[in-house]
Amino acid sequence: MDVRAAEKEEIDQLARIWLDAWTDAHAEIVPAALTRVRTYESFKQRLQALAADIRVVGPPGAPAGLCIVKGDELYQLFVSAEARGSGAADALMADAERRLARSGVQTAWLACAIGNGRAARFYEKCGWNRVGTMVSELDTETGKFALEVWRYEKRVGRP
Ligand SMILES: CC(C)(COP(=O)(O)OP(=O)(O)OC[C@H]1O[C@@H](n2cnc3c(N)ncnc32)[C@H](O)[C@@H]1OP(=O)(O)O)[C@@H](O)C(=O)NCCC(=O)NCCS
């Protein structure tokens, strides 16, 4: 499954995928105050700001999932409901780990909402280790939102 850079024209579709996948995984396990600010518009604005760093799977014009790395963090990974279990997430993860390693990162980390069992299982299948919890300062349109999360780490660089 090929992973490629997102096209500008795909931002609307990607915002819909991000919103729907975020809602599937988080609406029942995070505070209502966070769900209220996770709107379609908010995801679209964040994608516009991150456009150069978005990697996707799926044919041009029909992306099925997205992944973004930021510094040493695997920052976002979301695939559409239809693409879950298809290997799309594995392809995005492999691409992200390669990019992290190429940028000189030795140990990468990611935050996963406490109780997001499917994502946790997926990360563990990919060789990530849950090292504990941390307070993540989540980006929102109205500033930072502090949320306790599971922290995962993986060595991605060559020794
Ligand atoms: C997280 C995500 C990217 C993983 O991709 P995926 O294609 O669903 O991953 P896979 O199907 O390969 O692996 C998921 C595993 O979790 C298991 N699983 C499914 N529901 C589960 C649950 N409620 N609790 C625990 N494990 C679960 C699956 O059986 C599978 O394990 P298996 O391969 O051993 O059977 C994708 O599910 C997704 O986009 N979810 C919504 C958004 C999200 O949570 N993003 C991550 C934010 S931290």
Side-chain angles (χ1 to χ4, degrees):
M1 201 171 294
D2 289 340
V3 179
R4 59 181 174 82
E7 296 178 359
K8 278 208 180 78
E9 299 70 29
E10 294 175 318
I11 294 289
D12 286 344
Q13 289 160 293
L14 292 170
R16 175 53 61 188
I17 290 170
W18 195 356
L19 171 66
D20 290 347
W22 186 91
T23 304
D24 287 348
H26 298 94
E28 288 178 10
I29 59 172
V30 301
L34 179 58
T35 303
R36 273 197 294 277
V37 297
R38 291 306 195 214
T39 60
Y40 171 82
E41 263 317 305
S42 76
F43 286 122
K44 185 172 169 179
Q45 281 176 24
R46 290 170 72 196
L47 286 169
Q48 281 164 339
L50 293 160
D53 299 319
I54 307 169
R55 303 283 290 170
V56 298
V57 285
L66 68 110
C67 185
I68 302 169
V69 301
K70 194 164 87 174
D72 59 354
E73 179 184 6
L74 195 152
Y75 178 57
Q76 304 294 341
L77 175 61
F78 289 84
V79 301
S80 68
E82 300 73 35
R84 288 176 210 154
S86 72
D90 303 80
L92 288 166
M93 175 62 89
D95 177 75
E97 289 180 11
R98 272 195 300 274
R99 282 183 297 140
L100 286 160
R102 269 205 302 268
S103 69
V105 173
Q106 289 296 319
T107 300
W109 69 279
L110 65 83
C112 176
I114 293 173
N116 186 355
R118 183 168 190 139
R121 169 81 187 121
F122 173 74
Y123 295 138
E124 285 157 21
K125 278 199 305 179
C126 294
W128 290 71
N129 299 308
R130 192 191 299 175
V131 296
T133 62
M134 60 176 275
V135 176
S136 184
E137 299 286 336
L138 302 173
D139 296 314
T140 79
E141 296 309 301
T142 50
K144 298 288 184 186
F145 188 102
L147 183 72
E148 188 174 23
V149 295
W150 286 324
R151 180 185 173 101
Y152 280 84
E153 292 183 358
K154 182 176 179 181
R155 187 171 177 89
V156 293
R158 296 227 173 87

